[in-house]
């Protein structure tokens, strides 16, 4: 059995810097050299293998097991979810229903600043709460392109907008998992996130308007922006504080859409902002029934995923449940039971194959129900849109697989923990840097859930040494992860595939990176201030 270490080089700082080499290589290759995502990822993967083997002494067998786990995870459930979500969207386009969706959005407001608040922020949060795992980024970015936004801008806006909802995706799973692995109460962590993240959530709608049209845009749309941020953040904070994280995104996203719809009946900006080259929305009356039918694929999607997320349904496939045999957990040779962590725990990481209870299967069911209830569609449309989806997404899916192989090797070699431990060594300044650990975790794994699994225990252990509220630091870890989702390779690949820019991920990254850094800087400063105020 191989003993994992976070300080193989005798200096925690040096070990952490060595562990960070693959991240730096990836960013330089993607941003500086402007290589495609796949090429940059492959170069970074080679660097990661070298660092794990030579720097951290990871055996080849353990490296192979970790890489295999990353590859299988990329295929199932991540690629499965992405393909199903984009397939659902393409079916809506093929049926002609998307034209009605576009017209219904234009009916609320022709102003594209309002449309972004409606789609990327409100509807995106609704989808994040229902599905997560890149579904809102893929669907909202594609929607914006259809409305006339340039692909890079559509992707960047959807990535930034997701920062307001990413912590509570897929029925609050990141918070629930963060509480489980850190020993906190879910409600305790949920309330801490109100303190840590709500100031950022309040600012995101204003930031989106500024990105589109500067300060002039804020002056002209402040009634809509202010109403949305008050309603969305108020509902989200209330649900988090009194109920927990499960419905935080679904309820706030729905409330935001309703608020903008009602405001649109009585108020519109004096100057209508349209993106250069954006087509004017069609001026035609649409009946309520037609609008409901057009949006029905997304209602069906939400309903099915809600069923899949209910505890009784999950219990069917849990260990000891009546259908547990349909959700086998497969150990990875060379990894599962073969690595001992510095804390003395044996690594139990394994691949869960969930053909029935996977989120992707829920989306597949929504696809089939939507197909059966749409008379305009034929079997040829169903098959053709699936082929087109796979053809367009395969470069993005390959990049996701490369990054997850890299991330799993980094995690199980001890490299990720080394970077986190080095930051934790700064002592009283740690609350300022706590979000950076979360940022690193999501950049590596593409998932706030995985980030909390990896680093929430470290945050709690550090909080106890510093006499800081552990919930605050785990909340900061989660919040930092939402900042990283803006530029995590997995998110960038999903966005690129959705807007037809697979292979040009570097363009989206260059457009998004400073927003991610700015959000992270805000969270670092706010977390540090909160730690001082709460300790007083």
């Amino acid at each position: 059995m191989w003993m994992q270490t976070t300080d193989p080089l005798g200096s925690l700082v040096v070990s952490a810097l060595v562990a960070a080499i693959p991240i730096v290589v990836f960013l330089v290759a993607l941003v500086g050299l402007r290589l495609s995502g796949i090429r940059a990822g492959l170069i970074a993967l080679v660097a990661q293998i070298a660092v794990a083997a030579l720097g951290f002494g990871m055996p080849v067998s353990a490296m192979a097991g970790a890489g295999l786990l990353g590859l299988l995870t990329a295929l199932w459930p991540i690629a499965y979810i992405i393909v199903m979500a984009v397939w659902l969207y393409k079916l809506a386009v093929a049926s002609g229903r998307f034209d009605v969706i576009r017209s219904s959005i234009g009916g609320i407001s022709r102003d594209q600043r309002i449309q972004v608040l409606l789609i990327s922020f409100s509807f995106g949060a609704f989808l994040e709460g229902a599905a997560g795992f890149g579904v809102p980024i893929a669907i909202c970015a594609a929607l914006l392109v259809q409305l006339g936004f340039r692909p890079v801008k559509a992707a960047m806006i959807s990535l930034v907008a997701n920062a307001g909802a990413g912590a509570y995706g897929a029925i609050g799973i990141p918070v629930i998992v963060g509480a489980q692995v850190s020993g906190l109460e879910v409600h305790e962590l949920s309330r801490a996130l109100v303190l840590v993240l709500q100031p950022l959530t309040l600012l995101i709608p204003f930031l989106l308007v500024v990105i589109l049209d500067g300060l002039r845009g804020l002056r002209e749309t402040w009634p809509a922006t202010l109403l949305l941020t008050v309603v969305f953040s108020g509902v989200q904070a209330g649900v988090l504080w009194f109920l927990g994280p499960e419905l935080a995104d679904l309820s706030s996203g729905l409330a935001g859409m309703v608020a903008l719809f009602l405001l649109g009946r009585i108020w519109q900006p004096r100057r209508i902002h349209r993106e250069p080259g954006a087509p004017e929305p069609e001026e035609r009356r649409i009946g309520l029934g037609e609008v409901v039918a057009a949006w029905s694929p997304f209602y069906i999607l939400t309903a099915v995923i809600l069923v899949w997320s209910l505890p009784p349904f999950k219990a069917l496939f849990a260990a000891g449940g009546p259908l547990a045999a349909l959700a086998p957990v497969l150990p990875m040779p060379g990894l599962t039971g073969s690595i001992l962590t510095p804390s003395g725990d044996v690594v139990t990481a394994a691949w869960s194959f969930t053909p029935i209870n996977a989120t992707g299967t829920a989306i597949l069911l929504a696809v089939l129900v939507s197909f059966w209830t749409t008379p305009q569609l034929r079997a040829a449309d169903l098959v053709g849109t699936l082929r087109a989806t796979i053809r367009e997404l395969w470069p993005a899916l390959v990049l996701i697989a490369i990054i997850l192989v890299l991330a799993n090797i980094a995690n199980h070699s001890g490299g990720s923990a080394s970077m986190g431990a080095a930051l934790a060594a700064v002592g009283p300044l740690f609350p300022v840097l706590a979000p950076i650990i979360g940022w690193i975790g999501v950049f590596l794994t593409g998932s706030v859930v995985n980030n909390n699994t990896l680093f929430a225990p470290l945050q709690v252990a550090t909080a106890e040494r510093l006499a800081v509220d552990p919930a605050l630091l785990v909340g900061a870890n989660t919040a930092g992860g939402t900042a990283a989702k803006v530029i995590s390779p997995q998110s960038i690949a999903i966005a690129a595939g959705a807007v037809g820019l697979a292979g040009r991920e570097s363009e989206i990254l260059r457009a998004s990176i400073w927003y991610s850094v700015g959000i992270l800087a805000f969270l670092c400063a706010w977390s540090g201030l909160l730690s001082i105020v709460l300790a007083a």
Side-chain angles (χ1 to χ4, degrees), residues 167-168 175 188-199 240 471 474-476 478-479:
Y168 318 111
V175 182
E188 181 184 8
L189 180 55
S190 183
R191 290 185 172 185
L193 280 164
V194 174
L195 300 177
V196 175
L197 260 180
Q198 283 308 304
L240 286 166
V474 177
T478 308

Side-chain angles (χ1 to χ4, degrees), residues 81 85 88 121-137 139-140 162 165-174 232 236 245-254 257 295-310 313-314 357-364 366 485:
I81 292 171
L88 178 67
F121 189 72
S122 301
F123 185 52
F126 184 78
L127 289 175
E128 181 71 37
F133 295 101
V135 171
I137 294 170
I139 290 179
C140 293
N162 190 247
Y168 318 111
I171 320 297
I173 290 298
F232 184 98
Q236 190 179 70
E246 290 86 354
L247 298 177
D249 280 346
L250 282 170
S251 57
S252 57
L254 180 61
M257 286 188 282
W295 282 90
S296 62
F298 301 108
Y299 304 147
I300 295 168
L301 169 69
T302 302
V304 176
I305 289 180
L306 278 174
V307 172
W308 254 241
S309 303
L310 292 175
F313 183 86
K314 290 183 176 181
N357 58 319
T359 301
T361 302
I363 304 173
L364 173 59
K485 285 193 75 174

Side-chain angles (χ1 to χ4, degrees), residues 3 43 52 72 115 139 188 214 216 235 237 258 298 327 341 367 383 418-419 465 498 527:
M3 171 68 78
I43 294 171
L72 292 175
Q115 291 176 355
I139 290 179
E188 181 184 8
R216 178 181 66 169
V235 170
V258 171
F298 301 108
T341 68
V367 167
V383 175
S418 177
M419 289 183 281
R465 290 199 298 269
S527 296

Side-chain angles (χ1 to χ4, degrees), residues 159-413:
L159 288 163
V160 173
N162 190 247
Y168 318 111
I171 320 297
I173 290 298
V175 182
I176 294 170
V177 170
Q180 288 175 341
V181 301
S182 61
L184 299 171
E185 291 291 333
V186 172
H187 217 88
E188 181 184 8
L189 180 55
S190 183
R191 290 185 172 185
L193 280 164
V194 174
L195 300 177
V196 175
L197 260 180
Q198 283 308 304
L200 173 65
T201 305
L202 283 165
L203 294 175
I204 292 294
F206 297 99
L207 175 61
L208 293 173
V209 172
V210 170
I211 290 172
L212 286 172
D213 196 30
L215 294 178
R216 178 181 66 169
L218 276 184
R219 290 195 299 270
E220 294 176 350
T221 65
W222 70 264
T225 310
L226 182 61
L227 175 66
L228 175 61
T229 196
V230 169
V231 170
F232 184 98
S233 297
V235 170
Q236 190 179 70
V239 170
L240 286 166
W241 195 268
F242 295 106
L243 300 178
E246 290 86 354
L247 298 177
D249 280 346
L250 282 170
S251 57
S252 57
L254 180 61
M257 286 188 282
V258 171
L260 289 176
F261 171 76
L262 294 176
L263 179 66
R265 311 288 287 184
I266 60 174
W267 176 87
Q268 292 291 333
R270 290 183 179 180
R271 182 182 67 89
I272 301 300
H273 173 79
R274 306 286 299 170
E275 288 292 295
E280 286 291 331
E282 297 179 10
E283 294 289 341
R284 66 185 185 96
R285 298 184 64 84
I286 306 174
L288 178 61
E290 190 178 3
V291 172
V292 171
W295 282 90
S296 62
F298 301 108
Y299 304 147
I300 295 168
L301 169 69
T302 302
V304 176
I305 289 180
L306 278 174
V307 172
W308 254 241
S309 303
L310 292 175
F313 183 86
K314 290 183 176 181
L316 294 174
F317 302 90
L323 300 179
L326 297 178
V329 177
L330 306 178
M332 292 292 103
L335 179 66
T336 310
S338 301
I339 298 177
L340 195 65
T341 68
S343 61
D345 298 322
V346 177
V347 170
T348 58
W351 181 54
S352 299
F353 181 56
T354 53
I356 305 300
N357 58 319
T359 301
T361 302
I363 304 173
L364 173 59
L365 184 57
V367 167
L368 296 176
V369 172
S370 299
F371 170 72
W372 290 326
T373 56
T374 307
Q376 301 94 320
L377 293 174
R378 299 290 181 266
D381 298 316
L382 188 69
V383 175
T385 50
L386 177 58
R387 287 176 178 169
T389 298
I390 295 173
R391 185 169 58 248
E392 292 176 12
L393 288 181
W394 76 261
L397 300 180
V398 170
L399 176 57
I400 290 170
I402 293 170
I403 293 302
L404 282 180
V405 170
L406 183 155
N408 271 270
I409 294 175
N411 294 343
H412 293 293
S413 69

Side-chain angles (χ1 to χ4, degrees), residues 47-111:
Q48 180 60 66
I49 292 172
V51 166
L54 303 178
F56 286 79
M58 189 178 194
V60 174
S61 59
M63 220 181 304
L68 178 60
L69 178 60
L71 176 61
L72 292 175
T73 304
L75 294 173
W76 194 286
I78 294 173
Y80 184 36
I81 292 171
I82 296 167
V83 170
M84 293 300 104
V86 176
W87 189 18
L88 178 67
Y89 160 74
K90 285 188 176 294
L91 274 179
V93 174
S95 69
R97 285 181 167 178
F98 191 81
D99 294 332
V100 178
I101 293 175
R102 184 166 52 189
S103 297
S104 68
I105 293 170
I108 294 175
S109 179
R110 292 173 52 244
D111 192 295

